[in-house]
Each structure stands twice: as structure tokens, then as C-alpha cells.
């Protein structure tokens, strides 16, 4: 766990295991560093030269030093070159992650650093403190519940002291608090995704949602499989049929006190394990399929932070949850399912199951809430992971003004999105000879992510809607200092929160 506080003191009067300096490329020594080097380590400059440390972006240098009666580290992290002193916020996030990694590697329990300049990052002091907090907490996350040897646990308890002038204390404290809330949601989503699939079934997932709702007094409705069947949600029921576990459809509502506020619907795919069903996946494609509920995890987890942050919009979180398994009862290729809005689909491949459960959830959102906006998050297609890789989620929409809002939230939050074409030319790809639509695209149209998006478009009517395919970004994203190898990212939580908080702006 990371505990962050703010102090107004000269750096070396703050007792800390490590003192961190964020430096520009070809930096000159600050007065503080000059003073330090004069009194404690006259070879500091020479050492930097020998190690060829110049402050290139995200390079690091760790220097052990001997103080009066103890040892400590100086840790340098490079910000890279920028004449105009203007840096992307994403650099700050990665630097924050890097600091936590350096702390872990050197087994320190405390870090102290000067609050970086907000203007350098085109931001406010509060926002910068929030971003720092979010990413330090994210970096600290490690799914280590099942290690029996202490040495396998990478995460360390650390206190981080941000040094700043007195007049910035309040803004920084607020930023730290809000960042803590957001990170709690992100790391909760990551824990659920990382949890082994036989330890997190639909019903356990519903328990998490109920706990969040109870904590904040949010309205929650959980439909079980019988109710799902009775309501005519043939997609969710059809996918769940092969599993012994009960499907769940969870609807959680946050209401703002503000009158006439817009209503946003957050919809998340929640397949707690995707074997492919009877169209079974090859073994190596199945290995990470516990991640197939990452959309639902993001949607439910973000409600926790949102209930504390209190945006001036209403938010309805809708998550269809089930397992996709083969059995004698499972839906078969060739079966036809009827969804909540009355439309039918031919199932030619039971592995294209995400769109089937989302169809019901989207229809339900439209019919019961008439939302001003719907966004869905789904680990929907391998094709999206191939097209964009692990750094951008695929975004599909016909509503340019909504796309702008999402892009803006994406830039500010760090959950990056990339828009894919969504022209009606692709629509015919999902024609079926026997039902309204088919659950896989005609191979001639390729573009599997877009044709999946068009399948979903049948269930939103005219409601402004954005679809995010997070198949590539939900799990095991490499080279990012605030993520971990082989683990969930919590993608979407930051974006959804940012979107709700700045909906009107
Ligand atoms: N859950 C998968 C998509 C996926 C793949 C998510 C890799 C994360 C990483 C989805 O249900 C699926 O199997 N999609 C099929 C669709 C196809 C049968 C049309 C796919 O992408 O192969
Ligand atoms: Zn599948
Ligand atoms: Zn799936």
C-alpha cells in the first residue's frame, strides 16, 4: 500500500529512505542538489557522467548516499528533452510508476519528492496530484494473493511525501484523496479480472456489486437466470445455458441531486470465463479467458469511486454476467436466439458470445432508462487486439460529438482509445439467411471488430452510443511502468470516471 502526504519542508529535512528528483534532459543542479552534493557527495556529478545519466525520458539513476547517521538513496528519473518545458501528462504517469518500481527494487519504505510543476504538464496542481496518486497506487498493485513465499510479493508498503509550498497544500490533499478513490476502483477491477475463473463466478461478481451499492446506498437490482429467462433475455440465457452457474444481470444506479441532469448508461461485458462454448477455443487462446469480464469489472468498480466523487450526471451501470462453457445443454451453432428487444440472431459460432449478452443489456438500458448516452466496454474481439495492439482500445460510434467527449476523457485519463471506421457499408456483413442478424461477420468483410460493433448497433436504437473494444487493453499490457506483467490493467475505470466528472465541460 502507498500512503501519500504533503509537507512544506526542505527536502533533506524530511526523513526518507529515498529522495527522488524528476529532471529534464541536460538538467542543471538545483540549489538543493548543489548544496547536498557539496556537503555529502562531491562526486555526484562525476558519477552521473560515468553512468551517462543525462535525464533522457524515463531513464533512471539510483545513488546510495551516506547522511549524518544513516544511509539513503538519491533517485533520479529523467523527463527527457523539451525546450518549452511542456510535457504530456502520460509522461508524469509513467514517471510515477517508475518511482514506485525503483522503490520496490531498492526495498525502500519511504520516498520524498518535490511536487512537479503543474504548468509543465499543462495541468492544475490538484489534477497533477490526483494523477500522481492514481498512478502510484496503480503501480503498487500486485495480484499476490496466492503466493506462499513472501519473496514473490513485489508490492511494498511505502509512504510518499510530496513537498510543496504551503498555499498548494489543500489542492494537493484533495488531489491525493480523489486519486486514492479512483485507484481503489481501478485496483478492485484488476483484482476481479485477475481472480481465477473458478473463484469468481457470476454470483460472486454480483456480491461485489452489492457491497459497493450497499456502501453508498445506491439502488441495485440483480436478476437471476430464471428472471433473465422470464424477461426474454435470450442472449444472456443462451450463452449461460452451457454452464451450471446462474447468470446474473446487475443494474446499479447512481443518482445526482442535480435536477434535470443527463443520464449515462455504462454497459460492461461480463463473461467470467470464455471457453468458446461448443465452438471451443484452442488451448492457448483460452489461457487468459478469465479476463473476459474486464468490461463489467470496470463498469461496476467505477461506481464505487463515482459515488464518492459525485458527478452531476445520473449513471446506470448494466452488466450481464455469465460463463461461456460447452455442455450437453449448451447453445449450438445453428441455434437462433431472441433478445430483449424482440430481435433474433442466428448463432453460427458460440465463441462470439459477448455480443449476445450485450444485446440484451443494451436493449434493457434503452427501454428502461432512455439514457442520453450509452457507452459499452467489452473484451469483444481478438481482431481488435490484433489491429491496435495493447495500447489503444478500439472505439466505434456514429456520434461525432460523443466520440469527442470520449476522446477528451481518454486523453486526460490515460485510457487511450482509437476510433475505427463505422460506415454502414459493413452492416451487410452480419446478414443471416434464417434470422434478423448473424452473430459472426461474413468472412469477405473481414474487420471482425467493426462487424461485432454493427451487431451491437441493432440494440441501441437512436440513442447516442459509443462502443469500446478492450480485448487488447484489458490484460497483460507490456512496458508500462504502472501495470504488471500477466495481470489486469483496470482499463476503462479511469476513462468512465473522467467522462462522468466532465460530462458537461
Ligand atoms: N472474448 C473473446 C475475445 C477476446 C480475444 C478477448 C482475446 C480478449 C483477448 C470473444 O468472445 C471471442 O472469442 N471473439 C471471437 C469472435 C469470433 C468467433 C467472431 C474472436 O475474436 O475470435
Ligand atoms: Zn468468445
Ligand atoms: Zn468473450
Amino acid at each position: 500500500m502507498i500512503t501519500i502526504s504533503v509537507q512544506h519542508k526542505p527536502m533533506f529535512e524530511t526523513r526518507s529512505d529515498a529522495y527522488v528528483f524528476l529532471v529534464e534532459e541536460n538538467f542543471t543542479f538545483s540549489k538543493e542538489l548543489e548544496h547536498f552534493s557539496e556537503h555529502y557527495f562531491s562526486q555526484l556529478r562525476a558519477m552521473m557522467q560515468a553512468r551517462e545519466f543525462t535525464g533522457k525520458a524515463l531513464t533512471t539513476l539510483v545513488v546510495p548516499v551516506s547522511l549524518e547517521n544513516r544511509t539513503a538513496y538519491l533517485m533520479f528519473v529523467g523527463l527527457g528533452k523539451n525546450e518549452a518545458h511542456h510535457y504530456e501528462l502520460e509522461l508524469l504517469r509513467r514517471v510515477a510508476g517508475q518511482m514506485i518500481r525503483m522503490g520496490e527494487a531498492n526495498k525502500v519504505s519511504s520516498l520524498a519528492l518535490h511536487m512537479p510543476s503543474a504548468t509543465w504538464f499543462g495541468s492544475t496542481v490538484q489534477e497533477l496530484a490526483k494523477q500522481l496518486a492514481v498512478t502510484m497506487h496503480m503501480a503498487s498493485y500486485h495480484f499476490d494473493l496466492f503466493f506462499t513465499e513472501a519473496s514473490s510479493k513485489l508490492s511494498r508498503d511505502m509512504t510518499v511525501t510530496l513537498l510543496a509550498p504551503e498555499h498548494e497544500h489543500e489542492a494537493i490533499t484533495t488531489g491525493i484523496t480523489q486519486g486514492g478513490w479512483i485507484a481503489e476502483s481501478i485496483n478492485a477491477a484488476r483484482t476481479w479480472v485477475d481472480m481465477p475463473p473458478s473463484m469468481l463466478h457470476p454470483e460472486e461478481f454480483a456480491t461485489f456489486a452489492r457491497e459497493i451499492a450497499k456502501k453508498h446506498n445506491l439502488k441495485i437490482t440483480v436478476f437471476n437466470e430464471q428472471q433473465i429467462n422470464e424477461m426474454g433475455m435470450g442472449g444472456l440465457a443462451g450463452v449461460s445455458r452451457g454452464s451450471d452457474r446462474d447468470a446474473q444481470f446487475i443494474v446499479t444506479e447512481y443518482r445526482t441531486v442535480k435536477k434535470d441532469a443527463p443520464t449515462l448508461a455504462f454497459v460492461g461485458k461480463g463473461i467470467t470465463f470464455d471457453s468458446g462454448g461448443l465452438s471451443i477455443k484452442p488451448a492457448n487462446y483460452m489461457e487468459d479467458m478469465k479476463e473476459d469480464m474486464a468490461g463489467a469489472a470496470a463498469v461496476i468498480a467505477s461506481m464505487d469511486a463515482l459515488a464518492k466523487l459525485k458527478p452531476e450526471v445520473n449513471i446506470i451501470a448494466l452488466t450481464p454476467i455469465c460463463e461461456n462453457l460447452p455442455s450437453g445443454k449448451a447453445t449450438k451453432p445453428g441455434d437462433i436466439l431472441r433478445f430483449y428487444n424482440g430481435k433474433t440472431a442466428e448463432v453460427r459460432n458460440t465463441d462470439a458470445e459477448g455480443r449476445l449478452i450485450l444485446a440484451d443489456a443494451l436493449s434493457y438500458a434503452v427501454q428502461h432508462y432512455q439514457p442520453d448516452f450509452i457507452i459499452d466496454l467489452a473484451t469483444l474481439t481478438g481482431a481488435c487486439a490484433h489491429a491496435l495492439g495493447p495500447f489503444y482500445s478500439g472505439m466505434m460510434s456514429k456520434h461525432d460529438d460523443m466520440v469527442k467527449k470520449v476522446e477528451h476523457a481518454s486523453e486526460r485519463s490515460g485510457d487511450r482509445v482509437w476510433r475505427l471506421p463505422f460506415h454502414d457499408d459493413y452492416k451487410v456483413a452480419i446478414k443471416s439467411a434464417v434470422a434478423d442478424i448473424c452473430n459472426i461477420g461474413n468472412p469477405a468483410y473481414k474487420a471482425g471488430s467493426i462487424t461485432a460493433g454493427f451487431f451491437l448497433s441493432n440494440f441501441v436504437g437512436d440513442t447516442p452510443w459509443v462502443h469500446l473494444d478492450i480485448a487488447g487493453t484489458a490484460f497483460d499490457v507490456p512496458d508500462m511502468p504502472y501495470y504488471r506483467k500477466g495481470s489486469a490493467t483496470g482499463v476503462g475505470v479511469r476513462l468512465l470516471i473522467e467522462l462522468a466528472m466532465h460530462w458537461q465541460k
Side-chain angles (χ1 to χ4, degrees):
M1 206 175 63
I2 308 290
T3 312
I4 312 169
S5 65
V6 51
Q7 264 188 35
H8 173 59
K9 263 193 194 169
M11 189 176 237
F12 293 103
E13 283 174 28
T14 309
R15 198 188 162 91
S16 183
D17 292 346
Y19 300 94
V20 182
F21 297 86
L22 311 184
V23 294
E24 297 191 274
E25 192 163 349
N26 302 324
F27 62 103
T28 49
F29 273 28
S30 64
K31 271 211 192 94
E32 204 164 30
L33 210 48
E34 201 72 71
H35 178 85
F36 179 87
S37 132
E38 219 169 86
H39 286 82
Y40 296 101
F41 194 12
S42 55
Q43 300 301 311
L44 184 56
R45 261 203 193 82
M47 181 170 187
M48 284 180 171
Q49 256 172 15
R51 296 281 150 84
E52 297 179 16
F53 180 81
T54 57
K56 285 195 171 60
L58 292 166
T59 57
T60 58
L61 179 72
V62 178
V63 185
V65 288
S66 161
L67 304 179
E68 256 113 45
N69 50 8
R70 64 191 183 97
T71 57
Y73 291 105
L74 302 188
M75 295 182 169
F76 296 89
V77 187
L79 295 173
K81 194 163 23 212
N82 211 317
E83 305 298 334
H85 301 308
H86 184 75
Y87 293 96
E88 301 290 326
L89 260 183
E90 181 57 26
L91 178 68
L92 180 88
R93 291 190 276 259
R94 293 182 192 186
V95 165
Q98 197 70 269
M99 287 189 322
I100 298 302
R101 292 286 170 271
M102 290 162 91
E104 286 170 351
N106 295 284
K107 309 259 181 262
V108 305
S109 301
S110 51
L111 301 171
L113 72 150
H114 285 292
M115 185 67 193
S117 151
T119 46
W120 282 16
F121 293 92
S123 188
T124 61
V125 171
Q126 182 181 320
E127 179 64 22
L128 206 72
K130 186 183 96 184
Q131 294 282 346
L132 269 176
V134 169
T135 17
M136 287 196 291
H137 291 302
M138 283 178 82
S140 158
Y141 171 87
H142 184 211
F143 186 71
D144 59 8
L145 295 173
F146 295 93
F147 289 120
T148 58
E149 282 182 36
S151 62
S152 305
K153 303 197 180 209
L154 302 173
S155 183
R156 282 182 70 80
D157 286 344
M158 277 184 243
T159 62
V160 176
T161 308
L162 296 174
L163 304 161
E166 200 88 59
H167 70 272
E168 290 182 350
H169 278 210
E170 204 183 311
I172 295 176
T173 308
T174 309
I176 292 171
T177 305
Q178 296 189 344
W181 292 340
I182 296 168
E184 228 180 285
S185 283
I186 298 166
N187 291 344
R190 294 165 88 185
T191 306
W192 302 339
V193 173
D194 282 334
M195 198 61 86
S198 294
M199 297 183 83
L200 189 139
H201 301 102
E203 280 168 306
E204 282 110 40
F205 209 135
T207 304
F208 292 141
R210 279 201 185 92
E211 280 166 6
I212 289 173
K214 190 163 172 213
K215 188 160 81 174
H216 304 294
N217 210 4
L218 306 177
K219 182 175 176 196
I220 183 165
T221 317
V222 181
F223 300 98
N224 62 25
E225 191 153 334
Q226 191 189 336
Q227 294 167 309
I228 287 163
N229 264 302
E230 286 165 2
M231 287 198 295
M233 293 192 152
L236 181 51
V239 174
S240 184
R241 201 161 294 139
S243 154
D244 292 332
R245 299 283 168 163
D246 213 50
Q248 310 274 290
F249 179 49
I250 312 168
V251 185
T252 316
E253 304 180 29
Y254 160 84
R255 299 278 171 189
T256 171
V257 290
K258 193 159 180 261
K259 289 230 164 60
D260 303 320
T263 297
L264 320 184
F266 294 171
V267 179
K269 169 178 173 182
I271 296 290
T272 59
F273 187 71
D274 184 10
S275 71
L278 288 174
S279 314
I280 198 156
K281 287 180 183 294
N284 56 334
Y285 281 57
M286 215 190 284
E287 287 167 0
D288 288 333
M289 277 305 124
K290 65 174 185 182
E291 68 163 285
D292 213 19
M293 31 58 80
V299 164
I300 292 176
S302 61
M303 294 301 267
D304 187 33
L306 285 167
K308 299 179 213 164
L309 292 163
K310 302 195 188 337
E312 295 185 333
V313 289
N314 301 311
I315 303 164
I316 319 295
L318 305 107
T319 50
I321 324 268
C322 71
E323 295 184 312
N324 186 22
L325 293 178
S327 88
K329 287 187 292 178
T331 291
K332 307 170 185 78
D335 276 341
I336 295 175
L337 303 177
R338 184 184 302 275
F339 302 100
Y340 191 72
N341 73 347
K343 288 198 186 183
T344 59
E346 175 191 4
V347 177
R348 290 188 73 79
N349 188 318
T350 62
D351 196 12
E353 83 298 339
R355 63 199 79 184
L356 302 175
I357 69 168
L358 289 168
D360 284 326
L362 293 167
S363 308
Y364 188 92
V366 172
Q367 234 183 82
H368 291 265
Y369 295 96
Q370 297 91 39
D372 298 280
F373 172 64
I374 304 180
I375 184 165
D376 78 83
L377 284 79
T379 45
L380 205 61
T381 65
C384 192
H386 279 278
L388 300 179
F391 301 124
Y392 287 82
S393 300
M395 170 167 58
M396 282 146 269
S397 178
K398 282 193 176 161
H399 297 87
D400 292 350
D401 43 342
M402 297 297 148
V403 163
K404 278 207 194 87
K405 279 186 191 288
V406 175
E407 278 175 340
H408 198 210
S410 149
E411 275 155 28
R412 293 158 62 124
S413 68
D415 276 335
R416 290 180 291 176
V417 299
W418 197 262
R419 191 179 189 179
L420 299 175
F422 211 48
H423 192 278
D424 276 341
D425 285 354
Y426 294 94
K427 208 173 186 166
V428 267
I430 51 166
K431 255 175 87 79
S432 162
V434 291
D436 295 339
I437 45 176
C438 177
N439 86 325
I440 51 170
N442 175 329
Y445 292 80
K446 302 186 174 76
S449 309
I450 300 171
T451 55
F454 268 99
F455 185 95
L456 300 180
S457 73
N458 281 278
F459 304 93
V460 293
D462 297 328
T463 310
W465 163 66
V466 169
H467 161 54
L468 293 185
D469 193 327
I470 57 169
T473 49
F475 196 80
D476 201 13
V477 171
D479 304 327
M480 207 60 87
Y482 49 83
Y483 293 149
R484 296 257 189 216
K485 258 201 213 84
S487 173
T489 60
V491 70
V493 176
R494 288 183 291 171
L495 181 109
L496 290 174
I497 294 171
E498 183 66 34
L499 198 60
M501 294 304 292
H502 292 102
W503 184 252
Q504 321 278 17
K505 281 157 250 167

